[in-house]
Amino acid sequence: MRMVDIIEKKRDRHANTQAEIRFAIQGYVEGKIPDYQMSAWLMAIYFVGMNDEEAYYLTDSMLHSGEVIDLSSIQGVKVDKHSTGGVGDKTTLVLGPIAASAGTIVAKLSGRGLGHTGGTLDKLESIEGCRIDLSQEAFLKQVKDINIAIAGQTQEIVPADKLMYALRDVSGSVPSIPLIASSIMSKKLASGADVICLDVKIGDGAFMKTMDDARILSKLMVSIGKQAGKRVIAFITDMNQPLGFAIGNRLEVKEAIDTLAGNGPEDLTTLCVEIGAQMIYQAQKTSTIEEAKTLVLDLIYKGKALAKFHEFIRSQGGHIHNLDTFIQVKEVIPFVAQKEGYIHNIKAQSIGLASMKLGGGREVKTDIIDPMVGILLHKKVGAYVKKGDVLLDIYANKKVSSEILDSLLDAFDIQPTKPTPSPLIWEIVS
Ligand code: URA
């Protein structure tokens, strides 16, 4: 078999076979296929696409390029969730404890944030002492003991994705639906869960800008998961404003705790109840989805989900001494509206970039994060504001640059007419 024939076949709009796809992935990971051939093939996939079978074979080949987590020694249904990346998205910190306190197993591998989006690992590491570098043995023991552990992805998980993503990033083939689907699903399948709930974000600051693309991506990921014998459900959710009010690591941890205590923002709470109920229902802990929703609310209002959160953080070495002093910055600077009207849109990407530039995120992988800084919104889409009203607070430990202020100014679309509200959950694909 020759890589050039595989590339030409895809270029000429034919489907690649399972054997060809496996040859390409194995050869690339082993260093036998050079970057220029792999990037040519990836670009051909970008233009031509892949059918569902090819996308599954690609995912399966990527999945088997490295270690696959074996959760078979743990009793019970294992559930996982994944978001395609949002701003202010702290749902894992809320959903993990909810699902675990309902008796499902959450053995989750998470990632770090880069650019305008945050990552669960950075949020966890913002808590004093909290470790995410658990050995496989410690990870499995914690899951057995308390139903939940969240750790960082090791280098051994889907090495093909690390190599291919780096190549796509510098050769223009990141926004390809089959490549995104196989990248996400190979990592999810390698984590060993039986049930996978996907949160596909749509809007500014999300990978998917249109409903059509979000629907195609969701259907493809569900199809890949099902071909692998998993229960997969995808939520297409709104990212035309950040989720909740808090953006920045400790600010988001605090908002997650408030949500688990029943005092969270409406959008975050609604999303967590809906996805949490699906995780529990798909794990067959209840016989209807309505029952699962009631259970989620019960776990929140009886304090069980919050108690599970603290147990989980303690198990990973973390301490939250006092929530009132949890966030300490040099300055909290109000940012006010420059005109009167209704907020139509809060560009999640601009807010995420402002938080990153304050030190709350990374521009490049090696940047060090300041866990305290970020943005706390006071207003959301639909609010009526007067000139001078506080739109948000900037939590800063250094001088706020004009670039950051411009980014925040650019984020708010304020108009005289009332906006039509858009749904938080656009569609559920299963
Ligand atoms: N997230 C991933 O993990 N991979 C992609 O290709 C895009 C988003």
Side-chain angles (χ1 to χ4, degrees):
M1 208 176 281
R2 295 187 322 154
M3 187 64 192
V4 65
D5 299 325
I6 297 171
I7 299 168
E8 285 175 2
K9 197 168 169 191
K10 182 50 48 192
R11 180 200 65 193
D12 296 339
R13 316 192 77 78
H14 301 295
N16 287 129
T17 63
Q18 181 173 18
E20 288 165 351
I21 292 170
R22 192 175 296 145
F23 175 86
I25 300 301
Q26 259 179 15
Y28 186 55
V29 172
E30 287 167 11
K32 293 182 192 150
I33 289 168
D35 281 353
Y36 56 82
Q37 282 192 311
M38 179 50 78
S39 49
W41 187 53
L42 293 171
M43 190 52 85
I45 294 171
Y46 172 89
F47 280 114
V48 174
M50 278 185 145
N51 64 34
D52 281 19
E53 250 188 358
E54 283 178 288
Y56 171 65
Y57 296 146
L58 176 59
T59 309
D60 191 57
S61 302
M62 290 170 71
L63 157 70
H64 288 108
S65 68
E67 192 182 295
V68 177
I69 305 281
D70 181 7
L71 298 177
S72 59
S73 65
I74 300 171
Q75 297 280 315
V77 183
K78 292 101 197 173
V79 298
D80 198 355
K81 59 117 347 216
H82 178 82
S83 153
T84 58
V87 175
D89 188 349
K90 64 284 289 174
T91 48
T92 295
L93 298 183
V94 183
L95 286 168
I98 287 176
S101 61
T104 69
I105 306 298
V106 183
K108 187 162 172 51
L109 300 180
S110 280
R112 297 191 179 281
L114 190 64
H116 68 279
T117 60
T120 301
L121 295 187
D122 301 321
K123 290 167 210 184
L124 286 174
E125 276 186 332
S126 78
I127 301 169
E128 194 188 314
C130 191
R131 294 182 44 219
I132 48 86
D133 57 342
L134 308 180
S135 68
Q136 193 159 328
E137 205 185 355
F139 180 79
L140 293 178
K141 180 174 184 322
Q142 185 177 312
V143 175
K144 278 181 197 157
D145 289 347
I146 64 165
N147 286 1
I148 179 170
I150 301 181
Q153 249 168 43
T154 62
Q155 287 303 318
E156 290 79 40
I157 298 280
V158 198
D161 181 60
K162 290 189 185 70
L163 297 169
M164 288 162 72
Y165 195 88
L167 200 57
R168 286 164 60 205
D169 205 20
V170 293
S171 61
S173 58
V174 167
S176 150
I177 289 180
L179 295 180
I180 295 174
S182 52
S183 164
I184 293 174
M185 289 306 291
S186 58
K187 288 174 287 194
K188 288 292 105 186
L189 296 177
S191 307
D194 308 300
V195 172
I196 302 165
C197 286
L198 301 164
D199 181 1
V200 177
K201 301 285 184 201
I202 162 172
D204 178 83
F207 263 103
M208 296 294 113
K209 308 285 180 209
T210 68
M211 188 62 201
D212 279 352
D213 280 353
R215 200 177 282 135
I216 296 168
L217 176 66
S218 302
K219 284 188 175 157
L220 185 54
M221 291 196 290
V222 168
S223 152
I224 291 170
K226 285 191 175 158
Q227 290 180 74
K230 307 289 179 182
R231 261 169 278 156
V232 185
I233 182 153
F235 290 75
I236 301 179
T237 71
D238 194 62
M239 202 14 81
N240 279 313
Q241 61 178 331
L243 189 60
F245 292 101
I247 302 98
N249 295 290
R250 278 210 180 185
L251 287 164
E252 292 192 41
V253 170
K254 181 169 183 312
E255 191 165 79
I257 292 173
D258 290 343
T259 306
L260 285 164
N263 305 317
E266 197 186 321
D267 57 351
L268 178 62
T269 303
T270 305
L271 192 61
C272 290
V273 170
E274 295 293 326
I275 300 182
Q278 275 295 348
M279 290 167 84
I280 291 166
Y281 170 66
Q282 296 291 337
Q284 293 165 346
K285 289 282 164 196
T286 61
S287 45
T288 66
I289 187 76
E290 288 315 315
E291 235 181 274
K293 279 186 205 172
T294 309
L295 176 57
V296 172
L297 292 172
D298 215 47
L299 292 167
I300 292 175
Y301 293 118
K302 290 198 173 133
K304 291 189 178 162
L306 183 58
K308 185 55 78 178
F309 172 87
H310 285 299
E311 188 180 25
F312 148 60
I313 295 298
R314 270 197 311 275
S315 286
Q316 299 202 190
H319 309 277
I320 299 176
H321 304 288
N322 182 352
L323 260 193
D324 296 333
T325 53
F326 187 55
I327 298 154
Q328 294 192 352
V329 285
K330 287 195 181 133
E331 271 190 296
V332 178
I333 306 158
F335 179 83
V336 300
Q338 305 296 314
K339 62 178 182 181
E340 181 166 347
Y342 291 95
I343 302 177
H344 275 236
N345 189 3
I346 306 174
K347 286 186 202 154
Q349 185 156 8
S350 305
I351 299 281
L353 283 175
S355 173
M356 180 199 82
K357 285 183 184 138
L358 285 165
R362 293 183 193 84
E363 202 146 10
V364 291
K365 276 189 183 158
T366 45
D367 283 349
I368 309 270
I369 284 185
D370 180 341
M372 302 286 186
V373 300
I375 307 278
L376 193 62
L377 294 172
H378 284 240
K379 306 284 180 193
K380 298 272 286 186
V381 167
Y384 184 78
V385 293
K386 294 207 180 86
K387 191 173 172 193
D389 280 357
V390 177
L391 296 175
L392 56 86
D393 281 329
I394 305 170
Y395 282 65
N397 270 332
K398 60 182 183 190
K399 189 176 177 305
V400 178
S401 67
S402 57
E403 206 188 348
I404 293 173
L405 295 173
D406 288 346
S407 204
L408 294 175
L409 199 58
D410 171 64
F412 285 85
D413 175 16
I414 299 178
Q415 294 182 28
T417 53
K418 219 174 173 165
T420 323
S422 52
L424 176 65
I425 298 173
W426 285 89
E427 217 167 283
I428 299 178
V429 178
S430 61

